Amino acid sequence: MPESDKSFDKEGLGNILLVAVSLCLVCAIVVSTAAVLLKPQQKLNQELDQKQNILRAAGMLPEDSNVDPQGRSIDELFGQFTVRAVDLRTGRFTDEVDPASYDPIKAAKDPARSMELSDTQDIATIGRRENVSLVYLKESEGGVDKLVIPVRGYGLWGTLYGYLAIEGDLSTVAGLGFYSQKETPGLGGEVDNPAWKAQWHGVSLFDQSGKPAVRLVKSRSPEGSMAAGYEVDALSGATLTTRGVQNLVQFWTGDLGFGLFLENLKSTT
Ligand SMILES: Cc1cc2nc3c(=O)[nH]c(=O)nc-3n(C[C@H](O)[C@H](O)[C@H](O)COP(=O)(O)O)c2cc1C
């Protein structure tokens, strides 16, 4: 080795450590800069995704397109909705939270902003229910045109999160869609099958006494009968997911969900 290279031993421990630490530092800077720079875009994408899910549940956006048949974009279509906060304890609108930044699912984890459900109350197996939730209202001169509510409940493998869209009569389903679920593809995962989802359109939510009445059934009641109006086909080979979906729809349209709010809204429109 020439005399000049003796002082610089590139395979020495100190040098190896220096290179490793420098590389880690550079990578850490690159990753954190990317994370910070991409955060606003990620937030925008999340919001767009949420708008898309709400519009799909409401039947205003086809399953396979980002524009409606008239060519209107997600933002344009979602602009027809007003987002309002609702106090689920009173069934009334509230200004207690800012709907633009409020997260009902986060609130449900906070004992100060949610209630613990007893076993008999907790038919959707969610543990706690937030005090305040959000609704998405599409209004026209004649009153409510469509109302979309967030819903969630346990299936077989995890919680299904979605939106239930209700027609202006506040009693008939416009559509149901899940944006997050862990059920098995081909079994419980069929909750995402467009053909199964299409059956929800027109289903009656409440019986004559106003109680949640939706049933997921293996064999349908005779066509034209009152019972048939509440029915959707069960998912074959997925009894547990089916039960979960029935329970979550019944929970969120019941007194502990949006039931009081729906009653109040009916009486004011
Ligand atoms: C690998 C595997 C995955 C399953 N995934 C689901 C599921 O996502 N949802 C569900 O309800 N049942 C699922 N099941 C079936 C349940 O264990 C149970 O047998 C079923 O819900 C009974 O439905 P059936 O009465 O319609 O046959 C799965 C079973 C296996 C073996």
Side-chain angles (χ1 to χ4, degrees):
M1 190 182 283
E3 191 61 31
S4 60
D5 286 351
K6 270 189 184 158
S7 58
F8 182 74
D9 178 8
K10 69 177 179 181
E11 282 169 19
L13 184 63
N15 202 37
I16 290 171
L17 280 175
L18 183 72
V19 170
V21 169
S22 313
L23 205 64
C24 287
L25 210 64
V26 170
C27 291
I29 291 169
V30 169
V31 170
S32 9
T33 311
V36 170
L37 291 179
L38 290 174
K39 203 155 195 175
Q41 189 56 46
Q42 279 172 346
K43 194 160 184 289
L44 277 179
N45 287 345
Q46 276 168 3
E47 281 169 9
L48 195 69
D49 204 42
Q50 189 195 27
K51 290 175 187 173
Q52 191 170 292
N53 291 322
I54 290 167
L55 291 168
R56 292 231 160 92
M60 292 168 64
L61 192 69
E63 292 287 335
D64 53 357
S65 172
N66 284 340
V67 289
D68 80 344
Q70 283 82 49
R72 287 175 294 186
S73 70
I74 293 170
D75 278 325
E76 207 176 336
L77 290 165
F78 192 77
Q80 299 175 43
F81 282 89
T82 318
V83 191
R84 301 283 307 269
V86 169
D87 191 324
L88 298 175
R89 297 163 296 187
T90 59
R92 305 263 175 215
F93 289 120
T94 175
D95 294 327
E96 202 181 300
V97 300
D98 173 11
S101 57
Y102 180 71
D103 181 349
I105 295 165
K106 222 182 229 175
K109 292 179 184 141
D110 177 357
R113 296 187 291 153
S114 62
M115 69 175 277
E116 187 171 359
L117 298 166
S118 69
D119 287 350
T120 46
Q121 290 174 322
D122 195 10
I123 57 170
T125 323
I126 54 171
R128 306 190 69 86
R129 191 224 58 198
E130 58 278 20
N131 295 335
V132 174
S133 190
L134 298 176
V135 295
Y136 304 84
L137 263 175
K138 182 171 176 279
E139 289 170 292
S140 61
E141 274 174 35
V144 176
D145 193 22
K146 281 211 166 72
L147 169 77
V148 182
I149 58 172
V151 293
R152 66 181 187 280
Y154 211 80
L156 172 63
W157 303 115
T159 303
L160 295 99
Y161 296 88
Y163 292 104
L164 175 69
I166 304 171
E167 299 289 4
D169 64 0
L170 303 174
S171 301
T172 309
V173 177
L176 174 71
F178 295 102
Y179 59 86
S180 171
Q181 52 88 6
K182 297 187 174 85
E183 306 308 286
T184 312
L187 294 170
E190 288 296 289
V191 287
D192 290 337
N193 184 327
W196 183 78
K197 288 201 289 184
Q199 294 175 69
W200 283 88
H201 182 77
V203 166
S204 300
L205 286 169
F206 305 105
D207 64 15
Q208 279 173 312
S209 63
K211 289 211 176 78
V214 167
R215 300 265 182 284
L216 273 68
V217 294
K218 284 190 177 165
S219 60
R220 296 279 196 123
S221 299
E223 211 173 309
S225 65
M226 187 161 284
Y230 311 128
E231 290 173 355
V232 171
D233 287 345
L235 297 159
S236 58
T239 299
L240 299 169
T241 308
T242 297
R243 197 175 299 149
V245 173
Q246 176 176 302
N247 287 343
L248 75 87
V249 171
Q250 292 206 357
F251 177 84
W252 289 104
T253 53
D255 287 346
L256 288 162
F258 290 90
L260 288 178
F261 170 70
L262 290 169
E263 270 173 40
N264 289 338
L265 200 59
K266 266 182 212 166
S267 62
T268 55
T269 50

